[in-house]
């Protein structure tokens, strides 16, 4: 179950070799700026890289009162693939995830099971908007722009606010509900054809790096988000040491904290994903 929850959180959604002087982002005065200027600064200060290799990430998954600690390694070939390897505390690899532009693959070595699909699976099954670019941006601390209505220009009309420590960009959109999600609401004695989703990001006023990103169903109090903390300069690239992912609803809360211990940029990376012929298909939670 731990591995399955980890897969869902990584998808829903999810760095250090040569340490230099630490550059912690601290509270500072937030000057006035226009939305267009802010978006331009975000783009100009986006992480420049071809590959990213995080050899060791200390991870802690909390679900309710339970907590699980393990380690992860991550390889990214920009615009090509992202691979995660999950290791138990004793160093034994228990799971591996490979994301490409058109596929999602997962193997559970401990239970000898696997899952292979494309991103449409998650839309059809969970009514969840996912694609490779969203996930790559989240795991490289880049700005995320999720389009719910097929009109990307509409997403540029943010509400821009100055908040404690940064700029907040937010937008509320109507998201049409799929048949299965409508059925879920009917079980709760609610009749809904759409939900109101708030997309919100906070950006540092000096580095223009994202400090957080959240999606929330504002009527139901459920959502998912990530916070970036402890920024450091590694080989000339500013990157957060800590990612904190949250998946929350009125009934449940799940949190995944990642602390990066080693990273290399622009080194050769190679996917070594394979599925044993002895493994059986994996049924994810809520699948029958």
């Amino acid at each position: 179950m731990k591995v399955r929850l980890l897969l869902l959180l990584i998808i829903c959604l999810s760095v250090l070799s040569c340490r230099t002087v630490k550059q912690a982002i601290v509270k500072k005065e937030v000057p006035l700026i226009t939305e267009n200027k802010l978006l331009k600064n975000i783009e100009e200060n986006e992480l420049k890289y071809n590959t990213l290799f995080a050899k060791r990430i200390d991870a802690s998954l909390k679900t309710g009162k339970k907590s699980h600690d393990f380690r992860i390694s991550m390889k990214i070939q920009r615009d090509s693939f992202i691979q995660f390897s999950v290791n138990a505390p004793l160093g034994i690899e228990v799971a591996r995830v490979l994301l490409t532009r058109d596929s999602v693959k997962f193997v559970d070595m401990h239970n000898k099971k696997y899952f292979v699909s494309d991103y449409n699976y998650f839309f059809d099954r969970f009514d969840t908007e996912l694609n490779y670019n969203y996930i790559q941006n989240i795991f490289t601390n880049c700005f995320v722009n999720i389009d719910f209505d097929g009109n990307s220009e509409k997403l540029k009309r943010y509400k821009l606010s100055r908040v404690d420590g940064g700029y907040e960009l937010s937008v509320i959109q109507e998201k049409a509900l799929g048949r299965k999600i409508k059925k879920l609401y009917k079980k709760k004695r609610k009749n809904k054809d759409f939900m109101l989703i708030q997309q919100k990001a906070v950006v540092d006023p000096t580095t223009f790096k994202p400090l957080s990103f959240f999606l929330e169903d504002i009527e139901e109090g459920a959502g998912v988000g990530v916070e970036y903390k402890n920024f450091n300069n590694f080989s000339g690239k500013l990157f957060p040491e800590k990612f904190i992912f949250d998946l929350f609803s009125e009934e449940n809360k799940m949190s995944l904290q990642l602390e990066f211990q080693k990273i290399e940029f622009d080194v050769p990376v190679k996917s070594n994903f394979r599925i044993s012929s002895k493994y059986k298909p994996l049924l994810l939670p809520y699948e029958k």
Side-chain angles (χ1 to χ4, degrees):
M1 179 61 73
K2 175 179 69 175
V3 172
R4 297 183 189 185
L5 290 172
L6 173 62
L7 173 62
L8 287 177
L9 191 54
I10 287 176
I11 293 175
C12 293
L13 310 87
S14 25
V15 223
L16 317 169
S17 59
C18 179
R19 297 195 176 206
T20 55
V21 179
K22 188 169 184 179
Q23 295 185 1
I25 293 178
V26 297
K27 292 183 180 180
K28 53 183 77 68
E29 183 179 353
V30 181
L32 290 169
I33 195 171
T34 64
E35 177 187 320
N36 288 338
K37 179 63 175 176
L38 176 58
L39 292 172
K40 182 178 180 181
N41 286 342
I42 291 171
E43 182 178 0
E44 290 176 349
N45 287 275
E46 189 173 275
L47 180 68
K48 307 297 190 297
Y49 73 102
N50 292 313
T51 67
L52 185 158
F53 178 38
K55 187 174 183 179
R56 175 180 167 182
I57 307 169
D58 292 333
S60 178
L61 177 66
K62 295 181 180 180
T63 56
K65 295 181 180 180
K66 297 181 179 180
S67 179
H68 307 280
D69 296 327
F70 47 96
R71 290 179 180 175
I72 300 174
S73 66
M74 179 175 71
K75 302 174 184 177
I76 299 179
Q77 176 76 55
R78 185 169 185 166
D79 300 330
S80 179
F81 74 83
I82 304 172
Q83 180 176 300
F84 301 93
S85 295
V86 183
N87 297 296
L90 294 178
I92 300 172
E93 187 176 26
V94 294
R96 193 173 291 181
V97 180
L98 178 65
L99 309 175
T100 65
R101 299 202 66 82
D102 58 6
S103 68
V104 176
K105 299 178 181 179
F106 171 72
V107 288
D108 177 353
M109 287 85 157
H110 180 70
N111 295 299
K112 297 183 178 179
K113 294 185 178 182
Y114 72 91
F115 172 83
V116 176
S117 186
D118 58 19
Y119 297 95
N120 289 331
Y121 172 89
F122 299 95
F123 180 79
D124 295 338
R125 196 75 196 178
F126 307 110
D127 202 21
T128 300
E129 305 281 349
L130 280 177
N131 66 41
Y132 179 88
N133 288 338
Y134 295 157
I135 299 171
Q136 179 176 264
N137 283 355
I138 286 171
F139 279 96
T140 55
N141 187 227
C142 294
F143 189 71
V144 180
N145 228 348
I146 295 183
D147 181 5
F148 289 115
D149 59 9
N151 184 355
S152 60
E153 290 302 317
K154 201 170 184 179
L155 278 175
K156 301 302 182 182
R157 302 173 189 165
Y158 291 102
K159 176 184 177 183
L160 172 59
S161 306
R162 290 185 296 167
V163 296
D164 187 16
Y167 299 107
E168 181 181 273
L169 288 164
S170 63
V171 61
I172 296 176
Q173 290 182 283
E174 290 186 356
K175 182 185 184 308
L177 297 180
R179 177 177 57 84
K180 293 181 179 179
I181 301 301
K182 283 184 181 180
K183 188 175 180 180
L184 177 63
Y185 277 117
K186 285 182 179 180
K187 288 182 179 179
K188 296 181 178 181
R189 297 182 179 181
K190 297 179 181 180
N191 291 314
K192 298 178 69 172
D193 294 318
F194 61 87
M195 62 176 69
L196 290 176
I197 300 293
Q198 182 179 48
Q199 185 174 168
K200 182 168 61 177
V202 176
V203 179
D204 182 78
T206 301
T207 66
F208 300 103
K209 298 287 188 180
L211 302 178
S212 65
F213 173 76
F214 281 88
L215 290 175
E216 182 176 0
D217 181 339
I218 58 178
E219 295 176 317
E220 300 297 325
V224 61
V226 58
E227 294 181 79
Y228 304 101
K229 296 180 178 293
N230 301 346
F231 282 72
N232 274 273
N233 191 332
F234 303 107
S235 302
K237 299 182 189 296
L238 193 64
F239 202 80
E241 285 182 300
K242 183 184 293 187
F243 289 24
I244 302 174
F245 293 92
D246 287 301
L247 183 64
F248 57 90
S249 66
E250 292 181 352
E251 299 85 11
N252 299 295
K253 183 176 181 181
M254 180 165 59
S255 176
L256 174 65
Q257 181 171 297
L258 305 180
E259 292 196 37
F260 293 81
Q261 303 301 324
K262 189 173 183 179
I263 185 173
E264 294 177 276
F265 290 101
D266 301 324
V267 297
V269 295
K270 185 178 180 180
S271 170
N272 56 348
F273 187 94
R274 70 180 188 88
I275 299 174
S276 171
S277 60
K278 297 179 181 180
Y279 288 7
K280 296 180 179 180
L282 170 69
L283 297 180
L284 292 178
Y286 311 116
E287 185 175 3
K288 298 180 180 179

